[in-house]
């Protein structure tokens, strides 16, 4: 494993107990220039996961609490009239940051949710006809509560497709929870500020190194077959898009890089495929009624796809 990545992950795991795998996947999506949707019950550390990551790479962090009355301009920014100069000036919104946390994104109407579409795909926003580039790197993490449905607005498929991963944040196991309780009681005086492990420029270099990871044609064919099968499977009403295949391939390269390799293996694909596709497929109605899950169906698709040798 790359020394910088190893040090970063080791420090990351000390701050959030019981989420080792999800922390590695969150970093994978960031290195792959993607975005992440976090789904989990309140109090499981979703906000802290993003804030700590921003601090460890020396990046800017902004948090937007999504509410029913949130306006698109509350995210992207707006223009105001300067009485001194007699001109309109652009007031940049919280989207102009390195790591943006959209807390409870499904609590705001589609109009406000859509304010993130251009930012996530083109890494830019348009304010009153003027296009402004976002900082580099730019990473969006949105959270949602899977339990509460009253007063929520489910994310449309087009919005979900722009997230590289959907990570399911579960409660920590007993050992991790005892460790968490003990550290919270003993270290309650410790500052929330965490010194950077990497400089922002170093992180950008690591991201550039990820692009050099080799992915063989046989692996590309393997990914393409999996994605195509999701469109042909009779238990899936809507399969994964071509964008999903591209995102899956890029994420596999980032995961391989984190593991210290400069090439992608079929096992990388098998590990990344569920978080990469679970939010990008829609199950057939009868499958949902029978209690089937996206993860089960994706696993069936992977199991039926020949593994390259």
């Amino acid at each position: 494993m790359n020394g910088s990545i190893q040090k970063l992950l080791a420090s990351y795991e000390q701050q959030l107990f019981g989420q080792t795998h999800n922390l590695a996947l969150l970093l994978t999506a960031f290195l792959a220039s993607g975005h992440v949707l976090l789904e989990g019950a309140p109090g499981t550390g979703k906000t802290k996961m993003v804030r700590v990551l921003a601090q460890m790479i020396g990046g800017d962090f902004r948090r937007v609490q999504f509410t029913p009355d949130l306006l698109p301009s509350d995210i992207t920014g707006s223009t105001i009239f300067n009485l001194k100069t007699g001109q309109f000036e652009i007031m940049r919104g919280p989207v102009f940051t390195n790591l943006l946390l959209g807390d409870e994104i499904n609590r705001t109407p589609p109009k406000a949710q859509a304010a993130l579409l251009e930012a996530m795909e083109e890494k830019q926003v348009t304010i009153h006809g003027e296009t402004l580039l976002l900082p580099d790197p730019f990473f969006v993490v949105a959270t949602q509560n899977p339990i509460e449905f009253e007063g929520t607005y489910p994310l449309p498929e087009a919005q979900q497709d722009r997230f590289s991963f959907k990570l399911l944040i579960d409660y920590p196991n007993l050992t991790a929870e005892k460790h968490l309780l003990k550290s919270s009681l003993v270290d309650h005086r410790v500052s929330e500020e965490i010194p950077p492990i990497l400089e922002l420029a170093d992180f950008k270099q690591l991201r550039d190194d990820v692009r050099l990871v080799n992915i063989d044609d046989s692996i590309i064919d393997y990914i393409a077959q999996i994605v195509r099968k999701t469109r042909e499977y009779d238990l899936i009403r809507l399969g994964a898009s071509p964008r999903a295949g591209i995102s899956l391939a890029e994420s596999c390269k980032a995961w391989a890089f984190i593991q210290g390799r400069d090439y992608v293996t079929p096992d990388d694909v098998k590990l990344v495929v569920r978080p990469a596709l679970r939010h990008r497929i829609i199950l057939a109605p009868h499958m949902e009624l029978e209690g089937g899950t996206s993860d089960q169906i994706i696993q069936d698709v992977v199991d039926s796809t020949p593994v390259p040798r």
Side-chain angles (χ1 to χ4, degrees):
M1 183 183 290
N2 180 286
S4 299
I5 293 292
Q6 189 174 18
K7 186 177 179 182
L8 184 67
L9 275 176
S11 177
Y12 206 0
E13 292 165 9
Q14 290 175 3
Q15 300 295 325
L16 293 114
F17 305 111
Q19 297 290 348
T20 300
H21 187 61
N22 279 327
L23 296 179
L25 285 171
L26 187 67
L27 184 59
T28 297
F30 197 6
L31 286 169
S33 300
H35 308 285
V36 172
L37 181 62
L38 296 180
E39 185 173 280
T44 50
K46 300 186 294 295
T47 299
K48 187 177 180 180
M49 287 177 70
V50 188
R51 187 181 67 248
V52 168
L53 180 58
Q55 291 175 344
M56 290 196 301
I57 67 167
D60 292 329
F61 169 73
R62 299 284 184 87
R63 176 180 177 273
V64 177
Q65 180 65 52
F66 282 76
T67 56
D69 59 348
L70 191 75
L71 299 175
S73 58
D74 294 331
I75 303 170
T76 59
S78 60
T79 58
I80 62 169
F81 186 73
N82 190 322
L83 294 175
K84 293 182 178 179
T85 62
Q87 295 179 336
F88 283 96
E89 295 180 355
I90 291 178
M91 297 291 292
R92 302 189 177 204
V95 75
F96 289 90
T97 186
N98 296 123
L99 283 89
L100 176 68
L101 175 66
D103 213 357
E104 295 187 294
I105 191 172
N106 57 336
R107 288 201 174 279
T108 197
K111 187 175 182 179
Q113 293 174 0
L116 284 174
L117 290 177
E118 182 184 11
M120 294 172 68
E121 187 68 16
E122 282 86 26
K123 308 295 173 69
Q124 64 183 31
V125 295
T126 302
I127 303 175
H128 287 262
E130 185 172 347
T131 299
L132 304 172
L133 294 178
L134 294 171
D136 182 33
F138 175 67
F139 184 43
V140 174
V141 180
T143 72
Q144 60 182 17
N145 184 340
I147 305 301
E148 297 179 355
F149 296 102
E150 186 175 350
T152 62
Y153 304 83
L155 285 177
E157 284 70 28
Q159 180 100 30
Q160 293 198 57
D161 199 37
R162 283 168 169 78
F163 288 99
S164 299
F165 289 161
K166 179 181 180 180
L167 302 183
L168 307 179
I169 309 300
D170 203 355
Y171 294 112
N173 59 36
L174 181 60
T175 302
E177 189 146 13
K178 288 193 291 186
H179 192 174
L180 175 63
L181 287 169
K182 184 176 180 180
S183 64
S184 298
L185 294 172
V186 174
D187 302 331
H188 64 279
R189 292 172 296 178
V190 176
S191 171
E192 287 289 325
E193 290 297 321
I194 299 169
I197 305 299
L198 294 174
E199 297 295 331
L200 199 58
D202 296 331
F203 183 85
K204 290 165 69 174
Q205 182 59 54
L206 291 174
R207 186 191 58 187
D208 293 340
D209 293 341
V210 166
R211 298 190 177 106
L212 301 177
V213 173
N214 180 59
I215 181 166
D216 191 76
D217 286 347
S218 62
I219 303 295
I220 293 176
D221 181 67
Y222 184 48
I223 291 173
Q225 287 191 54
I226 291 173
V227 171
R228 180 160 290 276
K229 279 190 176 184
T230 64
R231 304 173 198 153
E232 300 169 350
Y233 203 30
D234 57 359
L235 298 180
I236 299 176
R237 180 159 58 92
L238 179 68
S241 67
R243 182 196 282 128
I246 295 170
S247 176
L248 175 56
E250 291 174 342
S251 300
C252 288
K253 291 172 67 173
W255 180 262
F257 180 79
I258 286 178
Q259 303 308 310
R261 284 181 276 105
D262 61 355
Y263 59 91
V264 177
T265 68
D267 286 340
D268 296 329
V269 180
K270 291 179 181 180
L271 192 143
V272 169
V273 67
R274 284 190 297 276
L277 297 187
R278 61 168 57 115
H279 56 299
R280 288 176 156 127
I281 65 172
I282 299 177
L283 301 183
H286 69 277
M287 192 63 192
E288 293 180 340
L289 290 173
E290 293 171 5
T293 66
S294 297
D295 281 12
Q296 293 172 350
I297 300 303
I298 291 169
Q299 190 60 53
D300 290 344
V301 169
V302 172
D303 291 342
S304 66
T305 305
V307 179
R309 298 188 180 278

